[in-house]
Amino acid sequence: MRLGLCLEMALTSLPFEDRVKTAARLGFKNVEIWWVDSVFKGTPGQLAKLAQDNGVTITNTVINSPDGSVASGLTDPRKSKDAWLKRAQMTIDYTKAAQIPNTIFLTGNRVPDLTDRQMLESVIEWTKPVVDMAEKAGVTLLLEPLNDKYDHPDHWLTSSDRGAEICRKIGSKRLQILFDCYHMQVMEGDLVNHIKRNIDVIGHFHMAGVPGRHEVFTGETNYPFVLGQIEQLGYQGVFGLEFAPSLNDEVSLTQTLAYLATKA
């Protein structure tokens, strides 16, 4: 299994460029960032060169925020789409220019005076034009369900099955889901069966320990077993580590790589 590291949650005491170098030194061939105008201040070309010089691939960026505070949420059809579409186009353009294959987006929160059906229809309506952007750019959109119990109160999309349903309904190879095992263990459990029935539209994975979102070897999830099951399904993509180390970062990441190399 190809592993990746989210540089927004680990090695955060270091300048961004040093995070990339340290991740590469520790053995990571893939890394992730969130917003393209956040921790890295350079051009797409400079970001691509930083990755190339360190022998890593940056696998993902992120368009908006879980609660819709950045670029709006997608659940309220009464809002203007302008901020969302402008942010999506900017992120997709940057992502393509930086030679990054994927970008993540979130639905935003529930809207108290709308029905679930109205919010679903709005999410689909607001996603379609961005899928068109992604198809033209050759970038894959990753729709991520989150947990609303601990980390993202009131978040609308909390089910991998519903995320997969949205992807299938829109029907583009450039729209897949990001299956975050931390979030989905909190919300659904039964990880392997959820993954098996939705593997056709899963484009990326994340992991963190449950509970706490710390090291993957200290929680209730048997990640070596989960990774082995995913490999048997023929998944060829990256499985990203997105957790907050509770130990020294380098110690934590070294122990994590050793743990994930074992077979359940």
Side-chain angles (χ1 to χ4, degrees):
M1 180 70 69
R2 293 191 293 149
L3 299 176
L5 178 64
C6 178
L7 298 177
E8 307 277 0
M9 293 190 70
L11 305 173
T12 56
S13 65
L14 300 175
F16 179 77
E17 290 80 359
D18 291 339
R19 296 183 211 179
V20 176
K21 295 175 184 177
T22 302
R25 175 170 56 79
L26 292 173
F28 288 96
K29 299 297 185 183
N30 302 281
V31 297
E32 304 181 30
I33 64 172
W34 288 346
W35 302 327
V36 299
D37 53 359
S38 180
V39 293
F40 183 73
K41 305 303 182 184
T43 66
Q46 290 169 332
L47 183 57
K49 186 175 187 304
L50 175 65
Q52 182 179 28
D53 289 348
N54 287 280
V56 300
T57 296
I58 301 173
T59 56
N60 309 316
T61 62
V62 178
I63 296 175
N64 60 341
S65 61
D67 63 359
S69 59
V70 174
S72 186
L74 284 65
T75 50
D76 192 342
R78 299 164 301 190
K79 290 186 176 180
S80 170
K81 288 185 185 178
D82 291 348
W84 161 243
L85 295 177
K86 182 178 179 180
R87 177 82 185 182
Q89 189 69 72
M90 182 276 291
T91 302
I92 289 170
D93 289 346
Y94 191 107
T95 299
K96 178 183 179 180
Q99 302 173 37
I100 301 170
N102 310 301
T103 190
I104 301 164
F105 73 107
L106 302 309
T107 64
N109 291 350
R110 293 184 288 271
V111 183
D113 62 338
L114 295 180
T115 66
D116 184 73
R117 182 67 187 178
Q118 287 173 315
M119 289 184 279
L120 171 62
E121 291 174 351
S122 181
V123 167
I124 291 172
E125 180 185 346
W126 285 43
T127 299
K128 284 180 177 178
V130 179
V131 170
D132 291 341
M133 296 176 192
E135 288 176 341
K136 291 174 183 176
V139 171
T140 298
L141 295 172
L142 299 173
L143 174 61
E144 183 175 13
L146 304 175
N147 85 77
D148 65 354
K149 293 183 179 180
Y150 304 113
D151 300 280
H152 303 287
D154 297 321
H155 196 75
W156 180 76
L157 183 61
T158 59
S159 162
S160 62
D161 289 334
R162 173 165 262 195
E165 175 190 351
I166 291 169
C167 291
R168 294 187 186 108
K169 185 174 182 64
I170 293 175
S172 170
K173 292 182 179 180
R174 287 296 177 184
L175 176 63
Q176 299 181 318
I177 64 169
L178 194 170
F179 193 104
D180 189 311
C181 290
Y182 165 75
H183 289 299
M184 293 302 96
Q185 175 65 14
V186 170
M187 295 305 301
E188 301 174 328
D190 195 22
L191 293 177
V192 170
N193 283 322
H194 280 90
I195 291 166
K196 283 182 177 179
R197 66 172 167 262
N198 294 315
I199 192 65
D200 61 306
V201 290
I202 295 176
H204 194 65
F205 287 93
H206 278 165
M207 71 179 105
V210 180
R213 208 174 185 183
H214 298 303
E215 284 79 10
V216 299
F217 52 79
T218 59
E220 66 192 29
T221 308
N222 184 341
Y223 275 110
F225 174 79
V226 173
L227 265 66
Q229 293 292 300
I230 294 170
E231 287 179 332
Q232 290 181 29
L233 295 172
Y235 177 71
Q236 299 294 314
V238 175
F239 209 128
L241 297 164
E242 190 183 47
F243 69 87
S246 64
L247 309 172
N248 169 276
D249 282 31
E250 292 199 28
V251 170
S252 172
L253 295 171
T254 299
Q255 291 185 9
T256 296
L257 291 175
Y259 165 73
L260 293 174
T262 66
K263 294 296 181 184

